[in-house]
mmCIF file of all heavy atoms in Angstrom:
data_model
loop_
_atom_site.group_PDB
_atom_site.id
_atom_site.type_symbol
_atom_site.label_atom_id
_atom_site.label_comp_id
_atom_site.label_asym_id
_atom_site.label_seq_id
_atom_site.Cartn_x
_atom_site.Cartn_y
_atom_site.Cartn_z
ATOM 1 N N GLN D 1 0.265 7.267 8.403
ATOM 2 C CA GLN D 1 -1.009 8.018 8.579
ATOM 3 C C GLN D 1 -1.311 8.760 7.247
ATOM 4 O O GLN D 1 -2.385 8.808 6.760
ATOM 5 C CB GLN D 1 -0.979 8.956 9.725
ATOM 6 C CG GLN D 1 -0.944 8.359 11.132
ATOM 7 C CD GLN D 1 -0.811 9.350 12.147
ATOM 8 O OE1 GLN D 1 0.286 9.722 12.566
ATOM 9 N NE2 GLN D 1 -1.916 9.815 12.686
ATOM 10 N N MET D 2 -0.203 9.486 6.779
ATOM 11 C CA MET D 2 -0.415 10.244 5.580
ATOM 12 C C MET D 2 -0.777 9.379 4.372
ATOM 13 O O MET D 2 -1.672 9.696 3.527
ATOM 14 C CB MET D 2 0.794 11.148 5.269
ATOM 15 C CG MET D 2 0.678 11.999 4.026
ATOM 16 S SD MET D 2 -0.670 13.149 4.117
ATOM 17 C CE MET D 2 -0.103 14.294 5.367
ATOM 18 N N LEU D 3 -0.068 8.212 4.283
ATOM 19 C CA LEU D 3 -0.430 7.282 3.154
ATOM 20 C C LEU D 3 -1.799 6.684 3.263
ATOM 21 O O LEU D 3 -2.476 6.646 2.308
ATOM 22 C CB LEU D 3 0.622 6.138 3.246
ATOM 23 C CG LEU D 3 0.466 5.085 2.090
ATOM 24 C CD1 LEU D 3 0.722 5.744 0.766
ATOM 25 C CD2 LEU D 3 1.605 3.981 2.311
ATOM 26 N N GLY D 4 -2.266 6.581 4.504
ATOM 27 C CA GLY D 4 -3.647 6.140 4.667
ATOM 28 C C GLY D 4 -4.629 7.092 4.233
ATOM 29 O O GLY D 4 -5.613 6.802 3.539
ATOM 30 N N HIS D 5 -4.340 8.447 4.481
ATOM 31 C CA HIS D 5 -5.248 9.571 4.005
ATOM 32 C C HIS D 5 -5.247 9.482 2.482
ATOM 33 O O HIS D 5 -6.424 9.686 1.804
ATOM 34 C CB HIS D 5 -4.700 10.926 4.442
ATOM 35 C CG HIS D 5 -4.841 11.120 5.952
ATOM 36 N ND1 HIS D 5 -5.825 10.552 6.690
ATOM 37 C CD2 HIS D 5 -4.006 11.767 6.751
ATOM 38 C CE1 HIS D 5 -5.616 10.910 7.933
ATOM 39 N NE2 HIS D 5 -4.497 11.615 8.068
ATOM 40 N N LEU D 6 -4.113 9.403 1.784
ATOM 41 C CA LEU D 6 -4.031 9.500 0.366
ATOM 42 C C LEU D 6 -4.679 8.236 -0.332
ATOM 43 O O LEU D 6 -5.033 8.341 -1.514
ATOM 44 C CB LEU D 6 -2.576 9.588 -0.043
ATOM 45 C CG LEU D 6 -1.791 10.851 0.399
ATOM 46 C CD1 LEU D 6 -0.378 10.840 -0.033
ATOM 47 C CD2 LEU D 6 -2.519 12.137 0.031
ATOM 48 N N ALA D 7 -4.830 7.234 0.450
ATOM 49 C CA ALA D 7 -5.419 5.934 -0.055
ATOM 50 C C ALA D 7 -6.952 5.998 -0.008
ATOM 51 O O ALA D 7 -7.679 5.154 -0.727
ATOM 52 C CB ALA D 7 -4.951 4.745 0.617
ATOM 53 N N GLU D 8 -7.463 7.007 0.656
ATOM 54 C CA GLU D 8 -8.953 7.075 0.767
ATOM 55 C C GLU D 8 -9.589 7.352 -0.566
ATOM 56 O O GLU D 8 -9.059 8.143 -1.380
ATOM 57 C CB GLU D 8 -9.377 8.152 1.719
ATOM 58 C CG GLU D 8 -8.949 7.837 3.203
ATOM 59 C CD GLU D 8 -9.215 9.050 4.121
ATOM 60 O OE1 GLU D 8 -9.740 10.028 3.665
ATOM 61 O OE2 GLU D 8 -8.845 8.886 5.376
ATOM 62 N N GLY D 9 -10.574 6.610 -0.931
ATOM 63 C CA GLY D 9 -11.261 6.814 -2.224
ATOM 64 C C GLY D 9 -10.743 6.006 -3.330
ATOM 65 O O GLY D 9 -11.144 6.137 -4.519
ATOM 66 N N LYS D 10 -9.582 5.310 -3.117
ATOM 67 C CA LYS D 10 -8.872 4.562 -4.113
ATOM 68 C C LYS D 10 -9.196 3.047 -3.986
ATOM 69 O O LYS D 10 -9.652 2.538 -2.955
ATOM 70 C CB LYS D 10 -7.385 4.736 -3.965
ATOM 71 C CG LYS D 10 -6.850 6.100 -4.288
ATOM 72 C CD LYS D 10 -6.967 6.501 -5.715
ATOM 73 C CE LYS D 10 -6.323 7.899 -6.010
ATOM 74 N NZ LYS D 10 -6.454 8.161 -7.492
ATOM 75 N N TYR D 11 -9.035 2.331 -5.105
ATOM 76 C CA TYR D 11 -8.991 0.839 -4.988
ATOM 77 C C TYR D 11 -7.596 0.390 -4.652
ATOM 78 O O TYR D 11 -6.732 0.385 -5.493
ATOM 79 C CB TYR D 11 -9.395 0.307 -6.409
ATOM 80 C CG TYR D 11 -9.580 -1.212 -6.367
ATOM 81 C CD1 TYR D 11 -10.830 -1.801 -6.031
ATOM 82 C CD2 TYR D 11 -8.513 -2.042 -6.727
ATOM 83 C CE1 TYR D 11 -11.019 -3.170 -6.033
ATOM 84 C CE2 TYR D 11 -8.594 -3.398 -6.661
ATOM 85 C CZ TYR D 11 -9.883 -4.026 -6.308
ATOM 86 O OH TYR D 11 -10.026 -5.373 -6.281
ATOM 87 N N VAL D 12 -7.479 0.093 -3.327
ATOM 88 C CA VAL D 12 -6.082 -0.137 -2.825
ATOM 89 C C VAL D 12 -5.597 -1.507 -3.031
ATOM 90 O O VAL D 12 -6.266 -2.473 -2.565
ATOM 91 C CB VAL D 12 -6.066 0.299 -1.350
ATOM 92 C CG1 VAL D 12 -4.648 0.108 -0.721
ATOM 93 C CG2 VAL D 12 -6.459 1.746 -1.113
ATOM 94 N N MET D 13 -4.479 -1.648 -3.628
ATOM 95 C CA MET D 13 -3.818 -3.024 -3.738
ATOM 96 C C MET D 13 -2.459 -2.952 -3.027
ATOM 97 O O MET D 13 -1.486 -2.372 -3.383
ATOM 98 C CB MET D 13 -3.580 -3.259 -5.265
ATOM 99 C CG MET D 13 -4.785 -3.088 -6.143
ATOM 100 S SD MET D 13 -4.469 -3.095 -7.896
ATOM 101 C CE MET D 13 -4.186 -4.803 -8.212
ATOM 102 N N ALA D 14 -2.613 -3.539 -1.782
ATOM 103 C CA ALA D 14 -1.426 -3.436 -0.859
ATOM 104 C C ALA D 14 -0.714 -4.729 -0.739
ATOM 105 O O ALA D 14 -1.243 -5.760 -0.586
ATOM 106 C CB ALA D 14 -2.044 -3.008 0.503
ATOM 107 N N VAL D 15 0.587 -4.616 -0.788
ATOM 108 C CA VAL D 15 1.464 -5.809 -0.765
ATOM 109 C C VAL D 15 2.348 -5.743 0.570
ATOM 110 O O VAL D 15 3.023 -4.812 0.778
ATOM 111 C CB VAL D 15 2.522 -5.882 -1.906
ATOM 112 C CG1 VAL D 15 3.363 -7.146 -1.862
ATOM 113 C CG2 VAL D 15 1.642 -5.921 -3.247
ATOM 114 N N ALA D 16 2.056 -6.736 1.371
ATOM 115 C CA ALA D 16 2.763 -6.787 2.728
ATOM 116 C C ALA D 16 3.678 -8.099 2.661
ATOM 117 O O ALA D 16 3.448 -9.009 2.057
ATOM 118 C CB ALA D 16 1.761 -6.836 3.839
ATOM 119 N N GLY D 17 4.593 -8.099 3.678
ATOM 120 C CA GLY D 17 5.418 -9.258 3.833
ATOM 121 C C GLY D 17 6.816 -8.833 4.349
ATOM 122 O O GLY D 17 7.259 -7.783 4.039
ATOM 123 N N THR D 18 7.396 -9.737 5.146
ATOM 124 C CA THR D 18 8.750 -9.466 5.690
ATOM 125 C C THR D 18 9.826 -9.549 4.478
ATOM 126 O O THR D 18 10.952 -9.077 4.711
ATOM 127 C CB THR D 18 9.160 -10.362 6.775
ATOM 128 O OG1 THR D 18 8.784 -11.724 6.455
ATOM 129 C CG2 THR D 18 8.354 -9.991 8.035
ATOM 130 N N HIS D 19 9.541 -10.032 3.388
ATOM 131 C CA HIS D 19 10.382 -9.873 2.241
ATOM 132 C C HIS D 19 9.605 -10.251 1.071
ATOM 133 O O HIS D 19 8.520 -10.790 1.042
ATOM 134 C CB HIS D 19 11.600 -10.864 2.353
ATOM 135 C CG HIS D 19 11.283 -12.299 2.602
ATOM 136 N ND1 HIS D 19 10.811 -13.258 1.730
ATOM 137 C CD2 HIS D 19 11.251 -12.939 3.829
ATOM 138 C CE1 HIS D 19 10.561 -14.433 2.296
ATOM 139 N NE2 HIS D 19 10.832 -14.296 3.536
ATOM 140 N N GLY D 20 10.120 -9.664 -0.081
ATOM 141 C CA GLY D 20 9.333 -9.864 -1.380
ATOM 142 C C GLY D 20 8.365 -8.790 -1.717
ATOM 143 O O GLY D 20 7.931 -8.698 -2.850
ATOM 144 N N LYS D 21 8.101 -7.796 -0.794
ATOM 145 C CA LYS D 21 7.035 -6.916 -1.046
ATOM 146 C C LYS D 21 7.366 -5.771 -2.029
ATOM 147 O O LYS D 21 6.528 -5.235 -2.797
ATOM 148 C CB LYS D 21 6.443 -6.287 0.222
ATOM 149 C CG LYS D 21 7.489 -5.535 1.054
ATOM 150 C CD LYS D 21 6.812 -5.031 2.430
ATOM 151 C CE LYS D 21 7.839 -4.422 3.389
ATOM 152 N NZ LYS D 21 8.712 -5.435 3.926
ATOM 153 N N THR D 22 8.667 -5.344 -2.074
ATOM 154 C CA THR D 22 9.048 -4.279 -2.951
ATOM 155 C C THR D 22 8.888 -4.640 -4.393
ATOM 156 O O THR D 22 8.298 -3.946 -5.194
ATOM 157 C CB THR D 22 10.426 -3.727 -2.633
ATOM 158 O OG1 THR D 22 10.439 -3.263 -1.353
ATOM 159 C CG2 THR D 22 10.765 -2.589 -3.506
ATOM 160 N N THR D 23 9.558 -5.756 -4.797
ATOM 161 C CA THR D 23 9.418 -6.208 -6.176
ATOM 162 C C THR D 23 7.948 -6.527 -6.519
ATOM 163 O O THR D 23 7.511 -6.158 -7.666
ATOM 164 C CB THR D 23 10.262 -7.484 -6.383
ATOM 165 O OG1 THR D 23 11.681 -7.097 -6.131
ATOM 166 C CG2 THR D 23 10.148 -7.965 -7.853
ATOM 167 N N THR D 24 7.255 -7.158 -5.662
ATOM 168 C CA THR D 24 5.912 -7.571 -6.024
ATOM 169 C C THR D 24 4.973 -6.305 -6.177
ATOM 170 O O THR D 24 4.163 -6.223 -7.171
ATOM 171 C CB THR D 24 5.309 -8.430 -4.833
ATOM 172 O OG1 THR D 24 6.185 -9.610 -4.693
ATOM 173 C CG2 THR D 24 3.909 -8.914 -5.126
ATOM 174 N N SER D 25 5.047 -5.360 -5.192
ATOM 175 C CA SER D 25 4.250 -4.145 -5.395
ATOM 176 C C SER D 25 4.589 -3.335 -6.619
ATOM 177 O O SER D 25 3.738 -2.769 -7.348
ATOM 178 C CB SER D 25 4.323 -3.321 -4.182
ATOM 179 O OG SER D 25 5.605 -2.905 -3.784
#
């Protein structure tokens, strides 16, 4: 929830996935 608040007003580039997301983001 807090991360969602901090993302408001930003150009959000979100990386999701059950693996690979940490290196990719």
Side-chain angles (χ1 to χ4, degrees):
Q1 289 176 275
M2 181 57 72
L3 183 58
H5 294 325
L6 298 180
E8 292 173 3
K10 295 288 189 179
Y11 184 89
V12 179
M13 307 172 73
V15 181
T18 45
H19 49 83
K21 57 182 175 287
T22 300
T23 298
T24 304
S25 57

